[in-house]
């Protein structure tokens, strides 16, 4: 390993593989279902790249290994780092702050110290495996200090950063005691990619307010400092997507179509199946969705004999206090709705607290008439795009929060403000009652949009911007 060097290195908090431990204690690896690995796989293979990241469990030290052709470089986190860096600063400081403080952000100096230390380790590891002049692509809010740390260690590298979550307005961002260090950390990259045009605007504004640098979208002029020469950084939107073709193919498979029919039958063949699919996270507006649904049942605008809501809530960050509260709150609400409106044989909400394989998700999408995405704030929301990609039958209605990044592209959805419960209820009714011709027209327009920007397009345009920014040497063959 000592002298293994790569021309392309991806750095993310989580690795693209999950460690599965069998009953006999033996461990194996499974590619995680996330879209990032699908997006980067072609360029990883073409360049024989490496992926640096954490395996998701504390105290496990592993040597680099190869998994289905991908070189994996695992980075260990101690139990203390999981608590302070991951659960603390990443998920109880940055996550709520960047999602508009839906729950309060917690500021602890020891969490920050751990964030700095762990970011430095990620940077050191990336620097150790990157070849001379290599391209390093750093991902997401857990690693915002890595670009500058890497540049200081390895000025020869081409460095990209992509933020998968929103970047908040300055009025909120300015709460952060370490707001300047984070901005400086990010400006170590040649290209800072964000999900929405508004996120890029918020980032540039923070740079102007905190550092006084000149910005002329998409450029940020970073003057010379004691440790680094003057540079021009690009900060702009690159909306992420999914592997549209693969998802559609999955949804077209006879097994998935049969499973979709079976799901409807198991639900008692109601007139309308509504669906919510989320990580169990307070940013997703699951409570708002349940409130609107229960009021519609209460007012008799919906009837439990005709309609059922399937809510998939996959477990997430379960040791973080706000997530524990959320789970209790949602499960209490679901219990109340089912108690108030359910009948023998008709459950109002079918609540599932587990993750499902992609095949089952595709079947659920096909089986539902109305998809509810009611996020209070969301970087993109790939579930909305998956729903559209799955609907090759050009049916189904997408109700989509304007606070999800996907709303910028998916304009033919029924766009809602989840805080406006009456507006949300009206949109749900509009979706339930929508004539087939209008459903088809809207779904066609959505599908066209999703096909135009799939995840391959996303990664190619980011890498092209990175190659342009670094003097146009197209080392990775981005077209
Ligand atoms: C979001 C973040 C990712 C993160 C994922 C799952 O999509 O943008 O960086 O990996 O949530 O969260 P977890 O804390 O389980 O990694």
């Amino acid at each position: 390993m000592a002298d293994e060097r790569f021309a392309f290195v991806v750095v993310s908090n989580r690795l693209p593989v999950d460690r599965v431990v069998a009953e006999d204690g033996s461990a194996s690896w499974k590619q995680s279902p996330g879209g990032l690995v699908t997006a980067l796989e072609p360029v990883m293979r073409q360049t024989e790249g490496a992926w640096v990241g954490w395996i998701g469990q504390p105290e496990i030290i592993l040597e680099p290994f190869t998994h289905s052709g991908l070189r994996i470089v695992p980075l260990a986190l101690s139990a203390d780092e999981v608590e302070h860096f991951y659960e603390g600063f990443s998920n109880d400081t940055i996550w709520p702050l960047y999602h508009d403080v839906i729950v309060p952000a917690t500021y602890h100096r020891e969490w920050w110290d751990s964030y700095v230390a762990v970011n430095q380790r990620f940077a050191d590891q990336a620097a150790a495996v990157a070849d001379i002049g290599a391209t390093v692509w750093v991902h997401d809010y857990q690693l915002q200090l890595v670009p500058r740390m890497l540049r200081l260690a390895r000025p020869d590298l081409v460095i990209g950063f992509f933020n998968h979550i929103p970047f908040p307005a300055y009025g909120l961002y300015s709460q952060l005691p370490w707001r300047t260090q984070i901005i400086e950390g990010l400006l170590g990259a040649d290209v800072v990619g964000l999900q929405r045009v508004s996120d890029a605007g918020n980032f540039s504004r923070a740079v102007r307010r905190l550092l006084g640098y000149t910005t002329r979208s998409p450029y940020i002029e970073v003057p010379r400092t004691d440790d680094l020469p003057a540079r021009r950084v690009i900060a702009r939107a690159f909306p992420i997507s999914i592997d549209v073709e693969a998802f559609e193919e999955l949804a077209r498979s006879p097994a998935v179509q049969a499973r979709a029919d079976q799901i409807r039958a198991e639900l008692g063949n109601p007139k309308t199946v509504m669906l919510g699919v989320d990580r169990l996270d307070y940013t997703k507006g699951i409570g708002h969705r349940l409130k609107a649904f229960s009021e519609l049942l209460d007012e008799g605008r919906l009837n439990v004999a005709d309609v059922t809501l399937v809510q998939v809530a996959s477990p997430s960050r379960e040791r973080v206090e706000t997530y524990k509260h959320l789970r209790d709150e949602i499960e209490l609400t679901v219990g109340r709705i089912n108690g108030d409106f359910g009948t023998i044989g008709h459950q109002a909400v079918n609540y599932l607290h587990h993750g499902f394989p992609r095949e089952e998700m595709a079947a659920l999408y096909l089986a539902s008439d109305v998809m509810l995405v009611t996020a209070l704030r969301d970087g993109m929301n790939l579930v909305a795009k998956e729903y559209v990609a799955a609907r090759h039958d050009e049916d189904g209605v997408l109700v989509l929060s304007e606070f999800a990044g996907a709303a910028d592209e998916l304009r033919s959805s029924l766009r809602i403000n989840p805080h406006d419960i009456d507006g949300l209820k009206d949109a749900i009714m509009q979706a339930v009652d929508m004539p087939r011709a209008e459903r088809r027209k809207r779904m066609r327009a959505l599908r066209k949009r999703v096909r135009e920007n799939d995840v391959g397009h996303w990664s190619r345009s980011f890498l092209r911007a990175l190659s342009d920014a670094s003097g146009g040497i197209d080392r990775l063959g981005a077209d």
Side-chain angles (χ1 to χ4, degrees):
M1 167 68 202
D3 44 14
E4 258 192 317
R5 296 283 181 151
F6 302 88
F8 183 51
V9 180
V10 173
V11 189
S12 64
N13 181 48
R14 270 188 197 274
L15 283 170
V17 287
D18 293 322
R19 188 160 180 266
V20 197
V21 182
E23 269 182 17
D24 64 2
S26 64
S28 61
W29 295 94
K30 212 176 79 204
Q31 187 160 314
S32 49
L36 195 54
V37 59
T38 338
L40 299 179
E41 218 182 329
V43 23
M44 293 289 274
R45 289 193 194 290
Q46 188 188 329
T47 58
E48 298 185 4
W51 200 308
V52 175
W54 172 51
I55 64 156
Q57 292 156 35
E59 314 279 0
I60 297 181
I61 301 168
L62 294 165
E63 285 303 309
F65 61 94
T66 302
H67 178 83
S68 59
L70 290 185
R71 194 66 181 147
I72 305 285
V73 184
L75 190 133
L77 292 186
S78 68
D80 189 72
E81 286 167 343
V82 171
E83 196 183 326
H84 295 135
F85 154 76
Y86 170 70
E87 292 163 350
F89 199 81
S90 297
N91 288 321
D92 213 7
T93 304
I94 296 290
W95 182 270
L97 179 66
Y98 282 30
H99 288 89
D100 290 357
V101 200
I102 295 164
V103 305
T106 308
Y107 303 111
H108 281 312
R109 284 163 287 184
E110 63 270 51
W111 290 1
W112 165 252
D113 292 342
S114 182
Y115 187 78
V116 175
V118 173
N119 271 246
Q120 188 64 61
R121 270 221 317 288
F122 271 94
D124 292 347
Q125 185 63 271
V129 296
D131 210 346
I132 303 289
T135 295
V136 182
W137 191 358
V138 184
H139 289 268
D140 229 355
Y141 62 100
Q142 303 93 342
L143 303 176
Q144 295 175 95
L145 303 176
V146 170
R148 175 176 160 81
M149 291 169 165
L150 253 183
R151 184 162 300 280
L152 287 171
R154 293 286 306 273
D156 59 299
L157 299 177
V158 178
I159 303 167
F161 179 90
F162 186 77
N163 198 44
H164 292 250
I165 70 171
F167 196 90
Y170 186 70
L172 290 173
Y173 181 74
S174 56
Q175 284 185 12
L176 187 64
W178 307 279
R179 57 197 186 186
T180 308
Q181 290 97 312
I182 294 273
I183 290 286
E184 285 174 341
L186 291 168
L187 287 175
D190 295 293
V191 176
V192 177
L194 300 117
Q195 297 279 26
R196 305 178 88 159
V197 172
S198 56
D199 296 320
N202 288 344
F203 175 67
S204 297
R205 204 161 307 120
V207 171
R208 284 196 299 277
R209 295 289 295 267
L210 291 167
L211 300 169
Y213 295 170
T214 306
T215 68
R216 197 167 36 83
S217 177
Y219 302 111
I220 298 176
E221 306 299 338
V222 178
R224 190 171 65 87
T225 52
D226 289 348
D227 41 18
L228 288 172
R231 295 158 44 245
R232 169 177 274 189
V233 173
I234 290 180
R236 52 161 273 222
F238 297 87
I240 200 169
S241 190
I242 58 164
D243 187 342
V244 178
E245 217 172 287
F247 214 86
E248 168 159 358
E249 204 180 300
L250 188 69
R252 280 185 190 275
S253 77
V256 166
Q257 300 204 33
R259 176 64 189 139
D261 292 342
Q262 191 186 14
I263 289 172
R264 280 196 85 101
E266 282 172 5
L267 291 169
N269 281 319
K271 274 196 208 130
T272 306
V273 176
M274 298 205 264
L275 177 66
V277 174
D278 311 85
R279 260 187 322 101
L280 188 43
D281 196 297
Y282 48 80
T283 58
K284 304 292 183 182
I286 302 171
H288 293 63
R289 184 182 315 167
L290 291 173
K291 186 167 183 54
F293 182 58
S294 74
E295 285 190 14
L296 288 170
L297 288 170
D298 193 40
E299 292 160 9
R301 291 167 79 185
L302 289 178
N303 186 323
V304 76
D306 300 329
V307 180
T308 196
L309 167 62
V310 177
Q311 176 63 54
V312 175
S314 50
S316 186
R317 305 174 191 164
E318 292 189 284
R319 292 185 355 150
V320 179
E321 215 49 51
T322 37
Y323 287 77
K324 288 186 194 161
H325 282 301
L326 175 77
R327 181 170 178 196
D328 289 347
E329 203 181 288
I330 295 298
E331 294 184 354
L332 180 72
T333 308
V334 168
R336 283 211 176 124
I337 296 175
N338 282 337
D340 286 346
F341 304 106
T343 59
I344 304 264
H346 294 293
Q347 203 176 9
V349 185
N350 228 289
Y351 173 78
L352 304 156
H353 184 242
H354 10 252
F356 289 98
R358 293 173 65 225
E359 291 73 17
E360 183 73 356
M361 294 316 307
L364 273 167
Y365 294 143
L366 280 181
S368 28
D369 306 288
V370 179
M371 177 82 216
L372 298 173
V373 177
T374 56
L376 306 177
R377 185 51 83 190
D378 208 336
M380 177 52 62
N381 197 291
L382 294 178
V383 162
K385 292 188 173 181
E386 284 179 359
Y387 182 67
V388 171
R391 298 311 302 244
H392 55 84
D393 57 350
E394 296 178 339
D395 207 345
V397 183
L398 174 63
V399 174
L400 176 59
S401 166
E402 63 191 63
F403 300 109
D408 285 354
E409 293 168 272
L410 303 183
R411 295 191 166 263
S412 299
S413 58
L414 293 184
R415 286 191 299 166
I416 51 106
N417 168 5
H419 298 284
D420 172 12
I421 300 293
D422 285 334
L424 175 55
K425 284 159 64 183
D426 289 346
I428 292 175
M429 290 315 298
Q430 192 189 339
V432 170
D433 296 333
M434 192 180 286
R436 171 75 175 112
E438 186 182 346
R439 299 202 301 266
R440 184 186 295 124
K441 188 166 158 250
R442 284 179 183 268
M443 188 50 79
R444 268 196 186 153
L446 291 172
R447 289 174 59 74
K448 181 163 179 286
R449 203 71 182 86
V450 164
R451 266 196 237 106
E452 279 162 7
N453 176 30
D454 74 350
V455 75
H457 177 259
W458 169 78
S459 61
R460 283 192 302 274
S461 32
F462 186 91
L463 291 171
R464 192 185 317 122
L466 197 50
S467 130
D468 291 348
S470 63
I473 310 157
D474 191 356
R475 298 175 180 83
L476 300 172
D479 63 22

